[in-house]
Amino acid sequence: QDFPEFEVAGALLPLTPAVELCHTMLATGLSAPGAVTVLLRSALREPLVDIADDAQELRLLKMIEMLIRLDHLHTQGELPADVTEYLSVIRDLRFYDRELRRDTSLSYQLAFFLRKHNFPCKRQMLGPYPLKICDPEERINFEPVEVRSYKRNLSETPLARKVRHLEAVGWRTFQVPADYWETLQTYDDKAAYVRGILKENDLLTY
């Protein structure tokens, strides 16, 4: 509740801490419109042309826009016009995550077997999210799930949020865990696993 008073006093944060704090708040369910407004007004003071298209600040701004649009509709409805317009510009702005082009053993092999069944295997950015193996026309995403550890106190992992956000905008996601993929010892095992996913979901083209 003190954020609007900080704004009146001119105590605005620089871009980086402002977007980091705003993202943390929204990602943990704290979405007071006054606080979000002050933090985003701090951010919008810096021209977007000065932010690289692969900058961490832009990734966080893209995430903030999506969190507000999909998870915090009440907050969205109470934001002032200048902040709403800023978020609209952020939504349309190009963001590039370098991870989009970095293949792992899992993503490379998965794409190989999917192409055998004419799955397009395109790479595309969707908001803050890189989709390494997808069909943009049909809104289908195959998500290679690498082995990672997350903080235990997270209410939602980054992967779970990504899948939920994709579903909210009309995408289907099929997760392929690296630890399970590694148990598939042979070419035929992996081919059968991929074919099974496609067949079960009516995605086989022949």
Side-chain angles (χ1 to χ4, degrees), residues 41-177:
R41 277 181 171 163
S42 295
L44 64 80
R45 292 181 306 159
E46 183 164 332
L48 289 171
V49 294
D50 294 340
I51 304 175
D53 65 1
D54 62 348
Q56 170 70 355
E57 290 84 356
L58 184 54
R59 185 188 75 81
L60 291 176
L61 283 167
K62 299 287 278 188
M63 181 64 77
I64 288 167
E65 186 280 325
M66 187 166 275
L67 283 164
I68 291 174
R69 174 163 48 95
L70 300 180
D71 296 348
H72 301 289
L73 297 179
H74 173 72
T75 298
Q76 183 182 43
E78 295 193 18
L79 295 177
D82 60 330
V83 174
T84 299
E85 182 179 354
Y86 181 67
L87 289 173
S88 178
V89 172
I90 293 296
R91 181 177 179 179
D92 294 335
L93 206 60
R94 179 185 183 272
F95 169 65
Y96 178 72
D97 188 330
R98 294 181 183 275
E99 284 298 316
L100 186 68
R101 292 287 172 185
R102 290 175 182 156
D103 271 320
T104 63
S105 176
L106 170 59
S107 65
Y108 181 85
Q109 293 179 32
L110 180 58
F112 170 82
F113 284 105
L114 284 167
R115 289 191 187 98
K116 294 286 185 181
H117 297 287
N118 295 326
F119 188 81
C121 294
K122 302 292 185 182
R123 299 177 193 258
Q124 176 174 307
M125 291 299 305
L126 185 68
Y129 299 121
L131 309 181
K132 291 184 179 181
I133 308 173
C134 73
D135 181 346
E137 291 188 5
E138 298 297 327
R139 294 192 174 191
I140 297 170
N141 173 49
F142 276 84
E143 187 70 23
V145 182
E146 307 296 339
V147 178
R148 291 175 181 167
S149 59
Y150 298 107
K151 295 180 181 178
R152 292 185 178 182
N153 60 346
L154 289 178
S155 60
E156 182 179 47
T157 66
L159 174 60
R161 181 177 291 120
K162 177 180 181 178
V163 172
R164 182 171 59 78
H165 281 170
L166 290 178
E167 289 177 350
V169 294
W171 282 69
R172 285 193 291 168
T173 295
F174 301 101
Q175 300 181 50
V176 179

